[in-house]
Amino acid sequence: GKSEGRNVYRFFEPGMDAMVRARQALETDLEAALPRNEFELEFQPIMNIAAGDIVGAEALMRWHSPTRGLVSPDNFIPAAEETGLIVQLGDWALRKACTAAAGWPHAMRIAVNVSAVQIKSGSFARSVISALAFSGVPAHRLELEITETVLMDESDTVLKTLSQLRDLGIRIALDDFGTGYSSLGYLRRFPVDKIKIDRSFIRDIDNRDSAAIVRTVIGLGAQLGITVTAEGVETEAQLDMLRKAGCIEAQGYLIGVPAKAAQINRLLRSGMAL
Ligand code: C2E
Ligand code: CA
Ligand code: CA
Ligand code: CA
C-alpha cells in the first residue's frame, strides 16, 4: 500500500538522491551528444560455420563522450530509452548501418539492434523503410535484433509493426535467447527468422547442462526452420562443439571483434573469417 511505498522511498532517500542526479547528468549529456556527433557504429562480423565465410555484421553503438570517455551501450541505452532519445538515436543507427551496408558485397546482411521503445513509438516502420530507401539496401539484407522485452508488450502496435516489416522481407532475430523467462512462448506467437543464443550459454559450454541447452536450441531451430546464431564465441573448442551440433552461424571475438566501418569493409570484401 501507500505507507509501504513511502517507507521504501525513505529508506533509499540519501543514495537515491545522488543516483537520480547522476542519471539526470547522464541524460543531459546524452541529449547533447547526437547533434555533436559523438556516436559511432562498430560492426562485428557473423560467420556461417559450415562454409567458414562471413555472411554479414551486427552494428553496435559506441558513445565517445568528451568528458566521460568511451561509454558502453549497456550504460547509455537504458538512459536513452528512459528519455525517449532512443527513438532519434535508433533512427540514426538504422540509417548509418544501412548506409555502411550499401558499400558491402550484396550477399552481406546488416543486423541492427532495436529497442522496445522504438517499436512502440509508432513511427518505427516508417523509419526502417526510409533508411532502406535512403541507402538503397534491399529489405532482405536487413535484420532487426529484438529482445523479449519487445515481445512482452503484446500491443497491436508491436505486432502490426513487426509483421509489416517482415512482409517487406526484413528478417527478425530474437536476441539474447534463453535469458528471459518465456522465450519458447514467444517463438510460438511471433514469426521470427533467427535465434541468437545468449553468450552466457556459450561461455559455459563445457558445463554439461549448458551444452545440452545449446544443442537443444540448435535442434529447435532446425525443427522450426529458424537460423540459429551462437553469440560470444571466443575459442576454437566452442566453435568446434557448435559445428558438430549443427549450429548455423557464429559471432564472437574468435571470428572478429567489433570493428570500425573501414575495417569491416575490408573484411567483408575478402569474405573470409579472420
Ligand atoms: P548484444 O546485442 O547482445 O550485442 C553483443 C554484445 O556482446 C556486444 O557488446 C559485443 O561487443 C559483445 N561481444 C561480442 N562478441 C563477444 C565475445 O566473444 N565475448 C564477449 N565477452 N562479448 C562479446 P556491446 O557492443 O557492449 O553492446 C552491449 C549491448 O548494448 C548489446 O548487446 C545491445 O543489447 C545494446 N546495443 C548495442 N548497440 C545498440 C543499438 O544500436 N541499439 C540498441 N537498442 N541497443 C544496442
Ligand atoms: Ca544484438
Ligand atoms: Ca545478444
Ligand atoms: Ca544483450
Side-chain angles (χ1 to χ4, degrees):
K2 251 191 175 148
S3 62
E4 200 178 90
R6 194 152 57 224
N7 285 338
V8 168
Y9 178 71
R10 287 170 69 94
F11 179 73
F12 283 112
E13 201 165 10
M16 280 288 284
D17 217 43
M19 274 172 60
V20 166
R21 266 184 280 115
R23 183 59 171 248
Q24 277 165 353
L26 175 66
E27 290 174 359
T28 307
D29 285 3
L30 261 178
E31 294 283 348
L34 196 54
R36 287 185 190 153
N37 275 316
E38 291 169 14
F39 293 103
E40 185 191 21
L41 290 183
E42 287 191 341
F43 299 89
Q44 186 176 33
I46 301 170
M47 184 181 79
N48 179 287
I49 298 177
D53 45 35
I54 302 299
V55 291
E58 175 180 0
L60 294 161
M61 218 184 276
R62 300 291 176 253
W63 178 21
H64 303 277
S65 160
T67 52
R68 298 164 186 270
L70 179 61
V71 187
S72 156
D74 282 327
N75 294 322
F76 71 80
I77 297 283
E81 287 175 334
E82 200 170 288
T83 60
L85 180 73
I86 192 69
V87 174
Q88 244 182 299
L89 194 54
D91 280 358
W92 171 84
L94 265 167
R95 274 194 173 222
K96 192 92 180 166
C98 289
T99 306
W104 300 349
H106 289 174
M108 301 289 170
R109 286 196 303 270
I110 173 71
V112 182
N113 292 286
V114 175
S115 145
V117 178
Q118 284 174 268
I119 300 188
K120 277 184 232 165
S121 77
S123 59
F124 183 66
R126 228 178 311 134
S127 295
V128 174
I129 292 164
S130 136
L132 290 175
F134 175 82
S135 61
V137 168
H140 67 88
R141 288 181 60 199
L142 177 63
E143 219 161 69
L144 299 174
E145 298 197 359
I146 62 171
T147 57
E148 267 184 27
T149 51
V150 171
L151 303 182
M152 267 159 56
D153 182 302
E154 296 192 38
S155 69
D156 264 12
T157 322
V158 171
L159 270 172
K160 272 200 205 129
T161 304
L162 289 181
S163 24
Q164 185 191 349
L165 292 172
R166 219 166 159 264
D167 287 347
L168 292 174
I170 291 161
R171 294 158 60 91
I172 308 291
L174 201 45
D175 207 352
D176 303 345
F177 189 80
T179 55
Y181 49 83
S182 117
S183 306
L184 290 180
Y186 293 122
L187 277 189
R188 199 175 45 172
R189 284 194 300 269
F190 295 88
V192 304
D193 303 283
K194 177 181 275 197
I195 291 170
K196 299 191 81 173
I197 307 180
D198 189 69
R199 71 164 187 264
S200 56
F201 296 102
I202 310 305
R203 184 190 57 215
D204 297 338
I205 215 163
D206 282 342
N207 171 282
R208 214 189 50 194
D209 292 346
S210 287
I213 291 169
V214 169
R215 284 201 188 89
T216 302
V217 173
I218 293 168
L220 181 72
Q223 295 272 316
L224 296 175
I226 294 174
T227 303
V228 175
T229 305
E231 296 192 289
V233 179
E234 295 183 354
T235 69
E236 287 290 352
Q238 290 166 346
L239 184 61
D240 206 50
M241 185 279 190
L242 291 163
R243 182 183 291 115
K244 284 178 180 141
C247 188
I248 297 180
E249 293 179 350
Q251 183 180 356
Y253 297 163
L254 178 72
I255 291 104
V257 297
K260 312 262 178 217
Q263 281 171 286
I264 204 74
N265 241 315
R266 257 175 276 134
L267 176 70
L268 293 184
R269 288 223 197 86
S270 81
M272 300 285 289
L274 291 177

